[in-house]
Amino acid sequence: LQKSVFHQLFQILGIFVYAFYEETTYRYFLPFSLGKNLELLTKTEYPQKWIFALSEILSLLLFSFGHLYMGIFAVLNAFFAGIALRSLVLKSKSVVPSTIIHFIYNLVLYLSMFTRA
């Protein structure tokens, strides 16, 4: 019994760490670094609207297609969730709220798929 409880606790911790990783990578680091690199490549001043839009779209597509191994519906789900979560990061200027929401969403999926009712 204790082994399964510890196993589930580590699974939940892993879900949190992965949600934090995805949020910091795809909602914070990647859009900003893509924007800065596009600025350097094009020798234009950041943030130009088209540079901002392109960096946002590229980050969103990378996040979405990172879920392709789960099927096209997972890609579409990640696409729309990515839009909502990135909007939250831009509005709050923090990855904390989006990490919490991402964690709760993944936790609900985990509990519904891998635990008995």
Side-chain angles (χ1 to χ4, degrees):
L1 177 67
Q2 285 182 342
K3 187 175 183 180
S4 67
V5 170
F6 285 122
H7 178 73
Q8 287 183 344
L9 288 175
F10 279 114
Q11 289 287 82
I12 292 169
L13 177 63
I15 292 167
F16 176 78
V17 168
Y18 201 68
F20 179 74
Y21 164 78
E22 285 188 336
E23 292 307 308
T24 55
T25 300
Y26 294 103
R27 253 60 90 196
Y28 180 75
F29 174 74
L30 204 53
F32 178 74
S33 62
L34 283 172
K36 291 304 272 182
N37 282 304
L38 285 170
E39 173 191 41
L40 291 172
L41 286 172
T42 60
K43 295 182 176 33
T44 57
E45 193 172 319
Y46 184 78
Q48 293 284 326
K49 287 182 182 181
W50 72 270
I51 291 176
F52 176 79
L54 185 57
S55 64
E56 294 293 325
I57 290 167
L58 289 173
S59 300
L60 180 60
L61 290 176
L62 286 170
F63 174 72
S64 300
F65 284 111
H67 294 80
L68 190 58
Y69 69 97
M70 293 187 285
I72 191 66
F73 291 112
V75 172
L76 292 172
N77 182 50
F79 180 82
F80 292 111
I83 292 171
L85 293 170
R86 178 63 176 153
S87 297
L88 183 59
V89 168
L90 290 172
K91 185 171 182 141
S92 68
K93 295 180 177 28
S94 171
V95 295
V96 173
S98 64
T99 298
I100 292 168
I101 291 171
H102 195 154
F103 167 69
I104 291 169
Y105 178 80
N106 287 351
L107 183 63
V108 168
L109 285 179
Y110 170 77
L111 293 174
S112 68
M113 292 172 63
F114 298 111
T115 60
R116 294 183 182 157

